[in-house]
Amino acid sequence: MPTIRNPILPGFNPDPSIVRVGEDYYIATSTFEWYPGVQIHHSRDLANWRLVTRPLTRQSQLDMRGNPDSCGIWAPCLSYADGLFWLVYTDVKRKDGSFKDAHNYLVTAPAVEGPWSDPVYLNSSGFDPSLFHDDDGRKWLVNMLWDHRSRPLLFAGIALQEYDPALNRLVGPVRNIFQGTELRLVEGPHLYKRRGRDGRPWYYLLTAEGGTGYEHACTLVRARTLAGPYETHPIKHILTAKDAPLAPVQRAGHGDIVDTPEGRTYLVHLMGRPTTQKRRCVLGRETGIQEAEWRDDDWLWVKGGPVPALEVDVPGTRDDTRYWAERRYRFDGELHEDFQWLRTPATERIFRLDGGALRLIGRESPGSWFEQALVARRVTHFSFDAETVVAFSPTDERQFAGLIHYYGRYNFHYLAVTAHADGRRELLLMSSPASFPDGRLVYPGAPIALPEDGPVRLKMEVRGPALQFFYALAGGDWQPAGPVLDASLISDECGGHAEHGSFTGGFVGMACSDLNGTAREAAFPEFVYRPVRHATDRY
């Protein structure tokens, strides 16, 4: 079979849930505070994937205004039964401190493209819900349980409760069926049923443990009955890089299992590719794949595991042409599917496409948890160029718009057209360095004076850990703007809470703020994202 190199979904695409419907595979991944909610990719061969939908598109399904960074949509689970796609997900409203406010919902659709229903509320006892369709027609929800007292465990175990589709609610008792191993932090549950060598059924429970950092793992247990008791796999963790710090694929965990029509078994999983110098995952948490096999002991084993492989045999041959192609976006129709924005379903308040341009409506500051006009796409390459043109007429220093490399309120680099207090336009470089984890900014380099009007071209070049901004006026050449910056700050490890609390990934795009509250607009007629193969990139 052909060999591909991990990941299969590069850039910020964590917590994969996979389902096969006939010849078609679908993976759902977390989107956290980015709107619309949940990404679903499609493939026919496990090698080539295309985004087909983001199902949570309207206020009745999702409103994340006020959600802190790395809250929002956690760990969706996509399944198919009874002629419907079923999607369960968590909307996390608070994650820091002793408490978690995590609300779990269910939506359904006759086709993966929709239309998707309004949500059914399930529970709020924890996060990472997963819906299991048993072969007797009954449906069961599992999710991790949160115990704010840590008595004895903060991640208290995996809850099991029946879901009644006729009543649209959970029914019957709640059972804690698995409390995890000594690695702890049990989460990300998925249930499966499979007949053993003796013809009797086994229930398998796959979970994530160790947190989403470098101790991450996939743990497999099984039982003869759904409620347990569950026994642990002979090696406990069927996939993990926790004991292999030099492996190219790190942070492996939070997985899901799928069989091909030919009977081959694969495990998709969360992964990270840290840079070698500072061990930072600048592309966020990605989706990888491993081949696995059922052995005579009725256990699933990852081939060559438990350390994840960088190269894996899959049915299809990957075509990387699109991955390495330049993307030149025009804004003369609908917003391209590559772009997302933050938190709000009320897009009319932050942007519109009009007159051949993306017009951002200045709202709150970068990093606001409520309403910021920022439209961006995932960074999917270690080295790249990004370019745009901005037409903006600010009146003072509280109005600014431009090109931004963004992770969250604690880490971004931003080259913006603004004005001094006297109203004269200038370019200002803003950066939130790791040395200021409270969100304070530094302003590298002196402001650059601009003509009183006219568009300004902006560009960033990222080459591994180095980021350089540039600007150009009409008909002029590119000129550097400010010093070389540390691009690796735009990473999970520098997201305000390090890798155990920063869950998204790097984005690059356009932003506009008006801290005067007058909603001044900036127009962006184009945006370019250009992947670059560079010697500093690890792979």
Side-chain angles (χ1 to χ4, degrees), residues 127-128 143-145 153-158 176 178-181 183-189 205-211 219:
F127 47 86
D128 294 3
N143 62 269
M144 69 79 65
L145 283 170
L153 298 170
L154 192 64
F155 287 62
I158 302 301
N176 189 336
F178 179 59
Q179 291 75 51
T181 70
L183 193 55
R184 298 195 173 190
L185 306 180
V186 63
E187 58 185 338
L205 176 65
L206 181 68
T207 66
E209 288 193 286
T219 303

Side-chain angles (χ1 to χ4, degrees), residues 66 203 305 427:
Y203 288 95
L427 269 180

Side-chain angles (χ1 to χ4, degrees), residues 33-34 64-70 341-344 350 362-374 400 404 406-412 414 439 511-515:
E33 66 264 36
W34 289 92
M64 298 183 290
R65 285 173 286 192
N67 287 18
D69 285 358
S70 289
W341 56 95
L342 287 161
R343 295 182 175 84
T344 179
I350 60 171
R363 297 296 180 188
E364 295 173 341
S365 59
S368 167
W369 292 344
F370 292 88
E371 212 172 37
Q372 57 172 312
L374 190 159
F400 41 89
I404 191 166
Y406 185 87
Y407 189 103
R409 67 162 49 183
Y410 299 106
N411 46 341
F412 61 84
Y414 188 7
C512 180
S513 294
D514 184 349
L515 308 186

Side-chain angles (χ1 to χ4, degrees), residues 31 53 292 330 348 356:
T31 44
T53 190
R330 303 288 186 181
E348 70 279 0

Side-chain angles (χ1 to χ4, degrees), residues 140-161:
W140 301 86
L141 185 80
V142 285
N143 62 269
M144 69 79 65
L145 283 170
W146 184 262
D147 185 348
H148 63 91
R149 311 162 305 161
S150 298
R151 198 159 70 193
L153 298 170
L154 192 64
F155 287 62
I158 302 301
L160 171 75
Q161 190 175 14

Side-chain angles (χ1 to χ4, degrees), residues 340-402:
Q340 289 186 270
W341 56 95
L342 287 161
R343 295 182 175 84
T344 179
T347 57
E348 70 279 0
R349 287 187 50 81
I350 60 171
F351 72 83
R352 71 180 189 278
L353 276 68
D354 181 43
L358 173 66
R359 299 182 182 276
L360 297 185
I361 304 166
R363 297 296 180 188
E364 295 173 341
S365 59
S368 167
W369 292 344
F370 292 88
E371 212 172 37
Q372 57 172 312
L374 190 159
V375 173
R377 58 151 288 161
R378 281 162 178 73
V379 173
T380 51
H381 301 78
F382 290 99
S383 297
F384 66 93
D385 298 338
E387 299 177 22
T388 192
V389 179
V390 58
F392 187 55
S393 299
T395 61
D396 61 26
E397 68 274 21
R398 283 168 294 278
Q399 297 170 339
F400 41 89

Side-chain angles (χ1 to χ4, degrees), residues 255-271:
D256 198 4
I257 300 166
V258 70
D259 291 330
T260 70
E262 296 76 30
R264 305 181 78 96
T265 301
Y266 286 88
L267 174 72
V268 295
H269 61 92
L270 182 155
M271 60 167 282

Side-chain angles (χ1 to χ4, degrees), residues 80-412:
Y80 184 82
D82 310 323
L84 290 174
F85 285 91
W86 305 69
L87 180 69
V88 291
Y89 60 94
T90 308
D91 180 6
V92 177
K93 299 299 184 183
R94 173 190 175 178
K95 71 176 181 66
D96 293 335
S98 295
F99 295 104
K100 287 277 193 297
D101 293 318
H103 309 307
N104 296 315
Y105 299 94
L106 163 69
V107 293
T108 59
V112 76
E113 297 85 0
W116 287 88
S117 68
D118 280 344
V120 172
Y121 172 74
L122 297 172
N123 66 27
S124 301
S125 58
F127 47 86
D128 294 3
S130 177
L131 192 63
F132 170 64
H133 308 270
D134 208 342
D135 53 17
D136 62 0
R138 300 173 76 181
K139 303 183 187 300
W140 301 86
L141 185 80
V142 285
N143 62 269
M144 69 79 65
L145 283 170
W146 184 262
D147 185 348
H148 63 91
R149 311 162 305 161
S150 298
R151 198 159 70 193
L153 298 170
L154 192 64
F155 287 62
I158 302 301
L160 171 75
Q161 190 175 14
E162 186 172 4
Y163 175 74
D164 188 329
L167 299 176
N168 284 335
R169 63 181 178 87
L170 297 171
V171 297
V174 179
R175 300 180 178 92
N176 189 336
I177 59 173
F178 179 59
Q179 291 75 51
T181 70
E182 69 277 3
L183 193 55
R184 298 195 173 190
L185 306 180
V186 63
E187 58 185 338
H190 293 297
L191 278 167
Y192 315 89
K193 190 176 186 178
R194 181 182 177 90
R195 292 201 175 273
R197 300 287 177 173
D198 61 2
R200 299 166 58 201
W202 286 105
Y203 288 95
Y204 293 88
L205 176 65
L206 181 68
T207 66
E209 288 193 286
T212 194
Y214 293 92
E215 298 296 306
H216 209 192
C218 288
T219 303
L220 187 64
V221 298
R222 71 184 182 187
R224 288 296 188 184
T225 64
L226 193 57
Y230 282 84
E231 61 175 301
T232 307
H233 193 282
I235 62 170
K236 295 183 182 177
H237 316 300
I238 64 171
L239 186 73
T240 184
K242 66 185 181 67
D243 301 314
L246 299 182
V249 175
Q250 289 290 313
R251 303 175 67 179
H254 202 121
D256 198 4
I257 300 166
V258 70
D259 291 330
T260 70
E262 296 76 30
R264 305 181 78 96
T265 301
Y266 286 88
L267 174 72
V268 295
H269 61 92
L270 182 155
M271 60 167 282
R273 292 180 287 167
T275 55
T276 53
Q277 287 184 321
K278 297 182 179 179
R279 213 178 195 213
R280 293 174 176 174
C281 290
V282 296
L283 301 184
R285 300 176 305 155
E286 306 172 289
T287 289
I289 191 168
Q290 306 293 324
E291 189 173 5
E293 59 185 353
W294 294 98
R295 296 185 182 171
D296 291 342
D297 57 3
D298 288 336
W299 282 110
L300 184 70
W301 297 79
V302 171
K303 290 188 176 182
V307 177
L310 178 61
E311 295 185 338
V312 179
D313 293 339
V314 297
T317 300
R318 177 183 287 166
D319 181 356
D320 278 334
T321 303
R322 188 169 181 267
Y323 175 70
W324 286 107
E326 175 184 284
R327 293 293 188 92
R328 186 171 294 271
Y329 304 96
R330 303 288 186 181
F331 301 110
D332 51 6
E334 294 185 353
L335 188 67
H336 193 279
E337 64 183 17
D338 288 350
F339 290 103
Q340 289 186 270
W341 56 95
L342 287 161
R343 295 182 175 84
T344 179
T347 57
E348 70 279 0
R349 287 187 50 81
I350 60 171
F351 72 83
R352 71 180 189 278
L353 276 68
D354 181 43
L358 173 66
R359 299 182 182 276
L360 297 185
I361 304 166
R363 297 296 180 188
E364 295 173 341
S365 59
S368 167
W369 292 344
F370 292 88
E371 212 172 37
Q372 57 172 312
L374 190 159
V375 173
R377 58 151 288 161
R378 281 162 178 73
V379 173
T380 51
H381 301 78
F382 290 99
S383 297
F384 66 93
D385 298 338
E387 299 177 22
T388 192
V389 179
V390 58
F392 187 55
S393 299
T395 61
D396 61 26
E397 68 274 21
R398 283 168 294 278
Q399 297 170 339
F400 41 89
L403 180 64
I404 191 166
H405 194 195
Y406 185 87
Y407 189 103
R409 67 162 49 183
Y410 299 106
N411 46 341
F412 61 84

